[in-house]
Amino acid sequence: MNFAAYIQLTLAQLRLFARNRQMLFFTLLFPLLLMIMLGSFVGKGGSVSLDTVIVDQDSTPQSQSLIATLEEQSVSPLKAVASSDETEALDLLKKGDKQFVIVIPKGYGEQIAAFSTSPAIAGSNAGKLDVYYDETDAARANVGLAVIGQLVDGVSKKITQYKPAVTIEGKGVRSLNLKYIDFLVPGIVAMMIMSNNLNGVAGQISSWRERGVLRRMQSTPLRAPTFIAGQITARLLLNCIQALLVMLIASLFFNTQVNGSWWLLILFVVLGTLTFMAIGFIIAGVAKTPESAGPIAGVISFPLMFLGGVFFPINSMPEAFQAVVKLLPISHLSTALRQVMNTGASFGELWPQVALLGGWTIVAFIVASFTFRWD
């Protein structure tokens, strides 16, 4: 590869970026404005969500009856689901995915049975439930404990003589205290990487082909690998700078932070850039004119913004969609960026995202090599 030509192509592409004010607006200022507006206004007001997991360690008819009662009465704002894994439930609570965890301890059924037959003898042996909550969110904790207490009190009254057969004990757990803006910022970065490369490459390469720029390049000693390497380097630099600006502004305006490794964050910026660049090259090769390249890229990128976990969690979508959505590169890019920034996830936890994005990159570049045309 001609190193001097590679440097010149990279610098030339960066100068083109700097001169194209419309491109800079849509690739940087628009995502920033979107982030600031959503971060400032979304989530203010509205009802309090009390997503709850019930962990049954007793597995008796009494505990199953309690779970059934709580699930039946789980009207807004309480949403209760059963689980058998306390560790997993507490992890969800610490990550902010759930707000409460109710643990039915071993021996609960025996205590309720003893209370039912002889309340006076059972006395202090009444069934007690551990309720874990996020101690960093005092307002939600107070509301949730009150709601759960009322529901459990209703269960007690059904057992025997309106006496307190079941009680709750609140236990605070310190979570990451994540806000919607913490969820949003990694999604905005992922959306920006996708838009810059998928839409940008498709439009630019198609335009250069129609204007004969690629044909003139082909007639020079310039080789295709040098040309592609220059494109990749320039767009990697642009994406890294833009991602840093977005995270800096989010930190200044909304006090967000990166809890994980910056090197791992950069790795996913690189993987995302390569993946969507390759898809952009495919679109540029398939499209006959620049006018058709834009709509094709838009038809692909626009749905991905809403299906890839950019603005809304993937697990909130209908289950029929989730299996398909989890194969999309944007969903794994947004998930990986979010895990690194919000929970400090390591490479060992994110290797599935690395593998899927790497697979998309390899397959897309192979397809692009067959569809790419100089003229």
Side-chain angles (χ1 to χ4, degrees), residues 257-275:
Q257 59 185 351
V258 177
N259 293 309
S261 167
W262 279 92
W263 292 111
L264 192 55
L265 201 65
I266 292 172
L267 170 64
F268 282 106
V269 171
V270 171
L271 283 173
T273 299
L274 294 176
T275 299

PDB file of all heavy atoms in Angstrom, residues 257-275:
ATOM      1  N   GLN A 257     -21.509   9.622  32.893  1.00  0.00           N
ATOM      2  CA  GLN A 257     -20.106   9.237  33.001  1.00  0.00           C
ATOM      3  C   GLN A 257     -19.876   7.883  32.348  1.00  0.00           C
ATOM      4  O   GLN A 257     -20.818   7.150  32.062  1.00  0.00           O
ATOM      5  CB  GLN A 257     -19.676   9.173  34.470  1.00  0.00           C
ATOM      6  CG  GLN A 257     -20.485   8.197  35.310  1.00  0.00           C
ATOM      7  CD  GLN A 257     -20.097   8.251  36.779  1.00  0.00           C
ATOM      8  OE1 GLN A 257     -19.123   8.881  37.161  1.00  0.00           O
ATOM      9  NE2 GLN A 257     -20.872   7.572  37.617  1.00  0.00           N
ATOM     10  N   VAL A 258     -18.602   7.585  32.105  1.00  0.00           N
ATOM     11  CA  VAL A 258     -18.199   6.294  31.551  1.00  0.00           C
ATOM     12  C   VAL A 258     -17.649   5.456  32.700  1.00  0.00           C
ATOM     13  O   VAL A 258     -16.596   5.767  33.255  1.00  0.00           O
ATOM     14  CB  VAL A 258     -17.135   6.457  30.449  1.00  0.00           C
ATOM     15  CG1 VAL A 258     -16.689   5.087  29.944  1.00  0.00           C
ATOM     16  CG2 VAL A 258     -17.686   7.292  29.300  1.00  0.00           C
ATOM     17  N   ASN A 259     -18.375   4.396  33.068  1.00  0.00           N
ATOM     18  CA  ASN A 259     -17.968   3.562  34.198  1.00  0.00           C
ATOM     19  C   ASN A 259     -16.997   2.454  33.797  1.00  0.00           C
ATOM     20  O   ASN A 259     -16.376   1.855  34.660  1.00  0.00           O
ATOM     21  CB  ASN A 259     -19.206   2.933  34.858  1.00  0.00           C
ATOM     22  CG  ASN A 259     -20.094   3.978  35.522  1.00  0.00           C
ATOM     23  OD1 ASN A 259     -19.624   4.785  36.301  1.00  0.00           O
ATOM     24  ND2 ASN A 259     -21.372   3.969  35.196  1.00  0.00           N
ATOM     25  N   GLY A 260     -16.908   2.169  32.502  1.00  0.00           N
ATOM     26  CA  GLY A 260     -16.047   1.076  32.045  1.00  0.00           C
ATOM     27  C   GLY A 260     -14.783   1.573  31.374  1.00  0.00           C
ATOM     28  O   GLY A 260     -14.367   2.732  31.529  1.00  0.00           O
ATOM     29  N   SER A 261     -14.163   0.693  30.601  1.00  0.00           N
ATOM     30  CA  SER A 261     -12.887   0.973  29.949  1.00  0.00           C
ATOM     31  C   SER A 261     -13.079   1.838  28.710  1.00  0.00           C
ATOM     32  O   SER A 261     -13.906   1.539  27.844  1.00  0.00           O
ATOM     33  CB  SER A 261     -12.208  -0.346  29.562  1.00  0.00           C
ATOM     34  OG  SER A 261     -11.141  -0.117  28.673  1.00  0.00           O
ATOM     35  N   TRP A 262     -12.277   2.906  28.604  1.00  0.00           N
ATOM     36  CA  TRP A 262     -12.320   3.745  27.409  1.00  0.00           C
ATOM     37  C   TRP A 262     -11.814   2.981  26.198  1.00  0.00           C
ATOM     38  O   TRP A 262     -12.286   3.190  25.081  1.00  0.00           O
ATOM     39  CB  TRP A 262     -11.489   5.009  27.629  1.00  0.00           C
ATOM     40  CG  TRP A 262     -12.211   6.062  28.401  1.00  0.00           C
ATOM     41  CD1 TRP A 262     -12.186   6.253  29.750  1.00  0.00           C
ATOM     42  CD2 TRP A 262     -13.082   7.060  27.869  1.00  0.00           C
ATOM     43  NE1 TRP A 262     -12.985   7.307  30.103  1.00  0.00           N
ATOM     44  CE2 TRP A 262     -13.543   7.832  28.969  1.00  0.00           C
ATOM     45  CE3 TRP A 262     -13.518   7.387  26.595  1.00  0.00           C
ATOM     46  CZ2 TRP A 262     -14.422   8.899  28.808  1.00  0.00           C
ATOM     47  CZ3 TRP A 262     -14.387   8.454  26.425  1.00  0.00           C
ATOM     48  CH2 TRP A 262     -14.829   9.200  27.530  1.00  0.00           C
ATOM     49  N   TRP A 263     -10.833   2.095  26.396  1.00  0.00           N
ATOM     50  CA  TRP A 263     -10.309   1.302  25.280  1.00  0.00           C
ATOM     51  C   TRP A 263     -11.378   0.374  24.717  1.00  0.00           C
ATOM     52  O   TRP A 263     -11.472   0.173  23.502  1.00  0.00           O
ATOM     53  CB  TRP A 263      -9.079   0.504  25.713  1.00  0.00           C
ATOM     54  CG  TRP A 263      -7.900   1.360  26.016  1.00  0.00           C
ATOM     55  CD1 TRP A 263      -7.333   1.598  27.239  1.00  0.00           C
ATOM     56  CD2 TRP A 263      -7.139   2.132  25.072  1.00  0.00           C
ATOM     57  NE1 TRP A 263      -6.278   2.457  27.132  1.00  0.00           N
ATOM     58  CE2 TRP A 263      -6.124   2.805  25.808  1.00  0.00           C
ATOM     59  CE3 TRP A 263      -7.203   2.328  23.705  1.00  0.00           C
ATOM     60  CZ2 TRP A 263      -5.200   3.640  25.202  1.00  0.00           C
ATOM     61  CZ3 TRP A 263      -6.286   3.170  23.088  1.00  0.00           C
ATOM     62  CH2 TRP A 263      -5.309   3.803  23.832  1.00  0.00           C
ATOM     63  N   LEU A 264     -12.197  -0.192  25.605  1.00  0.00           N
ATOM     64  CA  LEU A 264     -13.283  -1.061  25.145  1.00  0.00           C
ATOM     65  C   LEU A 264     -14.341  -0.237  24.412  1.00  0.00           C
ATOM     66  O   LEU A 264     -14.920  -0.692  23.418  1.00  0.00           O
ATOM     67  CB  LEU A 264     -13.903  -1.784  26.345  1.00  0.00           C
ATOM     68  CG  LEU A 264     -14.863  -2.937  26.051  1.00  0.00           C
ATOM     69  CD1 LEU A 264     -14.210  -3.985  25.169  1.00  0.00           C
ATOM     70  CD2 LEU A 264     -15.343  -3.575  27.360  1.00  0.00           C
ATOM     71  N   LEU A 265     -14.571   0.973  24.899  1.00  0.00           N
ATOM     72  CA  LEU A 265     -15.514   1.866  24.234  1.00  0.00           C
ATOM     73  C   LEU A 265     -15.035   2.191  22.812  1.00  0.00           C
ATOM     74  O   LEU A 265     -15.812   2.151  21.848  1.00  0.00           O
ATOM     75  CB  LEU A 265     -15.660   3.148  25.056  1.00  0.00           C
ATOM     76  CG  LEU A 265     -16.914   3.993  24.833  1.00  0.00           C
ATOM     77  CD1 LEU A 265     -18.165   3.234  25.262  1.00  0.00           C
ATOM     78  CD2 LEU A 265     -16.795   5.298  25.598  1.00  0.00           C
ATOM     79  N   ILE A 266     -13.744   2.492  22.688  1.00  0.00           N
ATOM     80  CA  ILE A 266     -13.166   2.800  21.369  1.00  0.00           C
ATOM     81  C   ILE A 266     -13.242   1.578  20.457  1.00  0.00           C
ATOM     82  O   ILE A 266     -13.491   1.704  19.251  1.00  0.00           O
ATOM     83  CB  ILE A 266     -11.712   3.285  21.528  1.00  0.00           C
ATOM     84  CG1 ILE A 266     -11.695   4.652  22.228  1.00  0.00           C
ATOM     85  CG2 ILE A 266     -11.013   3.379  20.173  1.00  0.00           C
ATOM     86  CD1 ILE A 266     -10.315   5.125  22.592  1.00  0.00           C
ATOM     87  N   LEU A 267     -13.029   0.385  21.020  1.00  0.00           N
ATOM     88  CA  LEU A 267     -13.117  -0.839  20.224  1.00  0.00           C
ATOM     89  C   LEU A 267     -14.483  -0.954  19.558  1.00  0.00           C
ATOM     90  O   LEU A 267     -14.590  -1.281  18.363  1.00  0.00           O
ATOM     91  CB  LEU A 267     -12.852  -2.062  21.109  1.00  0.00           C
ATOM     92  CG  LEU A 267     -13.145  -3.432  20.461  1.00  0.00           C
ATOM     93  CD1 LEU A 267     -12.226  -3.677  19.265  1.00  0.00           C
ATOM     94  CD2 LEU A 267     -13.012  -4.556  21.487  1.00  0.00           C
ATOM     95  N   PHE A 268     -15.547  -0.663  20.303  1.00  0.00           N
ATOM     96  CA  PHE A 268     -16.891  -0.784  19.733  1.00  0.00           C
ATOM     97  C   PHE A 268     -17.190   0.351  18.760  1.00  0.00           C
ATOM     98  O   PHE A 268     -17.958   0.162  17.806  1.00  0.00           O
ATOM     99  CB  PHE A 268     -17.937  -0.857  20.843  1.00  0.00           C
ATOM    100  CG  PHE A 268     -18.022  -2.209  21.479  1.00  0.00           C
ATOM    101  CD1 PHE A 268     -17.516  -2.432  22.751  1.00  0.00           C
ATOM    102  CD2 PHE A 268     -18.576  -3.272  20.792  1.00  0.00           C
ATOM    103  CE1 PHE A 268     -17.568  -3.686  23.327  1.00  0.00           C
ATOM    104  CE2 PHE A 268     -18.644  -4.536  21.362  1.00  0.00           C
ATOM    105  CZ  PHE A 268     -18.126  -4.745  22.632  1.00  0.00           C
ATOM    106  N   VAL A 269     -16.595   1.527  18.970  1.00  0.00           N
ATOM    107  CA  VAL A 269     -16.723   2.595  17.975  1.00  0.00           C
ATOM    108  C   VAL A 269     -16.092   2.152  16.660  1.00  0.00           C
ATOM    109  O   VAL A 269     -16.655   2.355  15.576  1.00  0.00           O
ATOM    110  CB  VAL A 269     -16.080   3.896  18.483  1.00  0.00           C
ATOM    111  CG1 VAL A 269     -16.018   4.933  17.360  1.00  0.00           C
ATOM    112  CG2 VAL A 269     -16.864   4.468  19.660  1.00  0.00           C
ATOM    113  N   VAL A 270     -14.925   1.504  16.744  1.00  0.00           N
ATOM    114  CA  VAL A 270     -14.231   1.004  15.546  1.00  0.00           C
ATOM    115  C   VAL A 270     -15.053  -0.088  14.864  1.00  0.00           C
ATOM    116  O   VAL A 270     -15.270  -0.066  13.641  1.00  0.00           O
ATOM    117  CB  VAL A 270     -12.831   0.476  15.911  1.00  0.00           C
ATOM    118  CG1 VAL A 270     -12.186  -0.238  14.714  1.00  0.00           C
ATOM    119  CG2 VAL A 270     -11.936   1.613  16.383  1.00  0.00           C
ATOM    120  N   LEU A 271     -15.541  -1.060  15.646  1.00  0.00           N
ATOM    121  CA  LEU A 271     -16.330  -2.152  15.075  1.00  0.00           C
ATOM    122  C   LEU A 271     -17.609  -1.627  14.421  1.00  0.00           C
ATOM    123  O   LEU A 271     -17.998  -2.071  13.333  1.00  0.00           O
ATOM    124  CB  LEU A 271     -16.677  -3.173  16.156  1.00  0.00           C
ATOM    125  CG  LEU A 271     -15.563  -4.127  16.584  1.00  0.00           C
ATOM    126  CD1 LEU A 271     -16.013  -4.970  17.777  1.00  0.00           C
ATOM    127  CD2 LEU A 271     -15.152  -5.031  15.429  1.00  0.00           C
ATOM    128  N   GLY A 272     -18.273  -0.688  15.102  1.00  0.00           N
ATOM    129  CA  GLY A 272     -19.490  -0.113  14.540  1.00  0.00           C
ATOM    130  C   GLY A 272     -19.216   0.637  13.247  1.00  0.00           C
ATOM    131  O   GLY A 272     -19.976   0.526  12.277  1.00  0.00           O
ATOM    132  N   THR A 273     -18.108   1.386  13.221  1.00  0.00           N
ATOM    133  CA  THR A 273     -17.742   2.124  12.011  1.00  0.00           C
ATOM    134  C   THR A 273     -17.493   1.170  10.848  1.00  0.00           C
ATOM    135  O   THR A 273     -17.993   1.373   9.735  1.00  0.00           O
ATOM    136  CB  THR A 273     -16.480   2.968  12.267  1.00  0.00           C
ATOM    137  OG1 THR A 273     -16.751   3.917  13.309  1.00  0.00           O
ATOM    138  CG2 THR A 273     -16.054   3.712  11.006  1.00  0.00           C
ATOM    139  N   LEU A 274     -16.715   0.121  11.090  1.00  0.00           N
ATOM    140  CA  LEU A 274     -16.402  -0.836  10.027  1.00  0.00           C
ATOM    141  C   LEU A 274     -17.660  -1.538   9.527  1.00  0.00           C
ATOM    142  O   LEU A 274     -17.849  -1.733   8.318  1.00  0.00           O
ATOM    143  CB  LEU A 274     -15.391  -1.863  10.537  1.00  0.00           C
ATOM    144  CG  LEU A 274     -13.988  -1.335  10.869  1.00  0.00           C
ATOM    145  CD1 LEU A 274     -13.129  -2.441  11.465  1.00  0.00           C
ATOM    146  CD2 LEU A 274     -13.320  -0.760   9.623  1.00  0.00           C
ATOM    147  N   THR A 275     -18.524  -1.921  10.449  1.00  0.00           N
ATOM    148  CA  THR A 275     -19.752  -2.635  10.063  1.00  0.00           C
ATOM    149  C   THR A 275     -20.626  -1.790   9.152  1.00  0.00           C
ATOM    150  O   THR A 275     -21.048  -2.220   8.071  1.00  0.00           O
ATOM    151  CB  THR A 275     -20.551  -3.040  11.315  1.00  0.00           C
ATOM    152  OG1 THR A 275     -19.756  -3.911  12.127  1.00  0.00           O
ATOM    153  CG2 THR A 275     -21.835  -3.757  10.931  1.00  0.00           C
TER     154      THR A 275
END
